[in-house]
Amino acid sequence: MRYLISILGLLVVFGLALLASKNKKEIKYKNIILMVVVQFLLAALLLNTRFGYVLIKGIATVFDHLLEYAQAGVAFVFGGIANKGEAPFFLNVLLPIVFISVLIGILQHFKILPLFMKGVGYLLSKINGMGQLESYNAVASAMVGQSEVFITVKKQLSKLNPQRMYTLCASAMSTVSMSIVGAYMTMIEPKYVVTAIVINLFGGFIIVSIINPYKVDPSEDILAIEEEEKQTFFQMLGEYIMDGFKVAITVAAMLIGFVALMAFINSLFDMILGVSFQDILGYIFSPVAFLMGVPWADAVSAGGIMATKLVTNEFVAMLSLTDVADTFSARTVGIISVFLVSFANFSSIGIISGAVKGLNEKQGNVVARFGLKLLYGATLVSVLSSIIVGLVI
């Protein structure tokens, strides 16, 4: 029965994507079917095989060690602030982002990361039937972040039509930055973080290929990656250290504001209606959670967490999940965990349009106009990935 529900969920996702499509004749169904199969195979490989277990265990171990190294720096600066036995979220989860950012900077400086992104992007373009620029952008978004990625292609922004801009922005919103993957792994199981990153990559191409199909002229598909201004090694280190710290502070500020606001709104609704705002959102999103494969007994609570992610951000939702994970089945935890690993929320509309506008004002205005459609597509990507995972766990 659960397989039938998941298949129905897939049909609903594709149907909703088709509703938003303006050019159904250009949809490349063969590539879409191929990518869905690839998604399913990758999810099964990562979650149901010994190879997947060893691979994810290895990745998780690497991040565990990186977080340990990061804690050496955090402890040196902030040691003694926390009481013995306590694990403050800002110190243990957010500040290690600074160290991860430094490692990304080193890989960028020595041209290792750009080479990897171009290579994987080229291979993906052979599967998804899209341009090399679009494929590169999806990989780069996962490596350097949803706003920073546009800096690497700023030479081409002025030449892109709205359709190609939509694809680039949808990819950025559907993925997560490698710099904060370690932070996610402290809140949800690493296997779901890794799986979500991989299958969201293809999910983004699938949904965009339905909502926003188009043909790319080969003469216009020249991948010209913007070279960073030449810096010395230590200049680069200083820049990426500060970038990482800015990310940590920004996330911390957003968490303070959003968590406090959610508590205030929940209290207000509870006083007036006798039910919290998150509970109301849970009822609204429960059918979606059910179609993703969540058992009906968990659907309302799971729907509330999904809605929290959309109206706030993934960190707030992950904190909510950790509070109630013991009451969920293991399958529900897996499905919802995958849904949460993306930047698909309202605040990302402002982040992405602002990043593009800072590089090209005209294109920034274009992005702002299709902001809600961008969130719609990115949310369908998260739902699609969750359904795929629900079929294999």
Side-chain angles (χ1 to χ4, degrees):
M1 181 65 182
R2 69 185 180 92
Y3 294 110
L4 290 176
I5 293 170
S6 295
I7 291 170
L8 176 61
L10 287 175
L11 295 175
V12 170
V13 168
F14 295 142
L16 290 173
L18 275 170
L19 281 176
S21 179
K22 289 186 176 179
N23 192 5
K24 297 178 178 63
K25 293 180 180 178
E26 290 288 343
I27 296 175
K28 300 174 182 176
Y29 293 100
K30 182 180 176 181
N31 292 100
I32 290 170
I33 292 170
L34 175 60
M35 287 188 285
V36 171
V37 172
V38 169
Q39 270 194 312
F40 184 82
L41 292 176
L42 286 172
L45 177 70
L46 291 170
L47 297 176
N48 289 347
T49 67
R50 177 67 184 174
F51 172 79
Y53 172 80
V54 172
L55 179 63
I56 290 173
K57 185 74 174 175
I59 294 171
T61 301
V62 168
F63 273 98
D64 283 342
H65 286 309
L66 292 179
L67 292 175
E68 286 177 14
Y69 300 142
Q71 283 302 323
V74 174
F76 180 79
V77 176
F78 294 100
I81 288 182
N83 293 324
K84 189 174 181 180
E86 288 188 351
F89 186 84
F90 181 69
L91 301 186
N92 286 14
V93 177
L94 297 185
L95 281 185
I97 290 173
V98 177
F99 178 58
I100 305 297
S101 177
V102 170
L103 294 181
I104 291 174
I106 292 172
L107 292 174
Q108 282 274 75
H109 185 77
F110 291 109
K111 311 299 181 186
I112 297 170
L113 202 55
L115 185 65
F116 172 80
M117 293 186 298
K118 283 198 288 185
V120 175
Y122 175 77
L123 292 175
L124 284 175
S125 68
K126 301 301 179 183
I127 297 173
N128 59 35
M130 304 179 81
Q132 288 187 45
L133 176 63
E134 286 83 349
S135 300
Y136 160 82
N137 187 81
V139 179
S141 296
M143 295 291 115
V144 300
Q146 67 172 334
S147 54
E148 295 83 352
V149 67
F150 295 104
I151 298 174
T152 69
V153 294
K154 66 181 180 181
K155 286 181 180 178
Q156 289 158 282
L157 288 180
S158 61
K159 304 171 186 176
L160 300 178
N161 59 37
Q163 289 177 304
R164 297 192 80 183
M165 277 305 306
Y166 179 88
T167 298
L168 264 59
C169 294
S171 296
M173 192 181 281
S174 301
T175 56
V176 294
S177 169
M178 197 58 65
S179 63
I180 59 175
V181 166
Y184 291 160
M185 288 182 177
T186 65
M187 293 183 283
I188 58 179
E189 288 190 62
K191 64 180 181 180
Y192 296 126
V193 177
V194 175
T195 302
I197 290 170
V198 173
I199 63 176
N200 278 354
L201 200 61
F202 290 95
F205 293 135
I206 291 168
I207 298 301
V208 167
S209 294
I210 299 173
I211 290 179
N212 185 47
Y214 55 88
K215 289 181 180 178
V216 177
D217 187 333
S219 64
E220 297 177 355
D221 194 31
I222 300 170
L223 184 57
I225 299 173
E226 180 77 8
E227 293 287 340
E228 292 187 350
E229 184 181 343
K230 193 65 177 176
Q231 296 175 304
T232 67
F233 181 76
F234 290 101
Q235 281 178 319
M236 175 277 298
L237 283 182
E239 181 179 314
Y240 276 87
I241 286 169
M242 290 309 299
D243 285 346
F245 188 67
K246 288 174 187 174
V247 171
I249 291 294
T250 300
V251 173
M254 291 177 71
L255 284 173
I256 291 169
F258 278 127
V259 171
L261 183 62
M262 188 62 69
F264 170 72
I265 294 174
N266 279 337
S267 177
L268 205 60
F269 271 73
D270 194 41
M271 283 190 298
I272 298 172
L273 302 176
V275 62
S276 73
F277 178 62
Q278 279 179 292
D279 286 339
I280 292 173
L281 291 176
Y283 284 108
I284 294 172
F285 277 81
S286 58
V288 181
F290 182 67
L291 288 174
M292 283 163 43
V294 173
W296 186 249
D298 298 334
V300 173
S301 296
I305 294 170
M306 291 165 59
T308 298
K309 185 238 184 174
L310 293 178
V311 299
T312 58
N313 61 42
E314 72 279 6
F315 277 103
V316 179
M318 286 178 188
L319 289 171
S320 297
L321 178 60
T322 57
D323 289 339
V324 298
D326 291 342
T327 66
F328 285 161
S329 66
R331 188 160 179 267
T332 297
V333 170
I335 292 170
I336 298 303
S337 294
V338 169
F339 179 86
L340 298 182
V341 183
S342 83
F343 289 141
N345 56 61
F346 282 100
S347 60
S348 285
I349 299 174
I351 291 170
I352 291 175
S353 62
V356 175
K357 193 165 187 173
L359 298 169
N360 186 298
E361 186 170 356
K362 180 182 177 182
Q363 293 289 36
N365 293 332
V366 170
V367 174
R369 282 198 294 271
F370 58 57
L372 288 177
K373 188 177 180 181
L374 197 59
L375 179 60
Y376 179 80
T379 302
L380 288 180
V381 173
S382 294
V383 174
L384 174 61
S385 295
S386 299
I387 292 172
I388 295 293
V389 167
L391 283 166
V392 302
I393 61 175

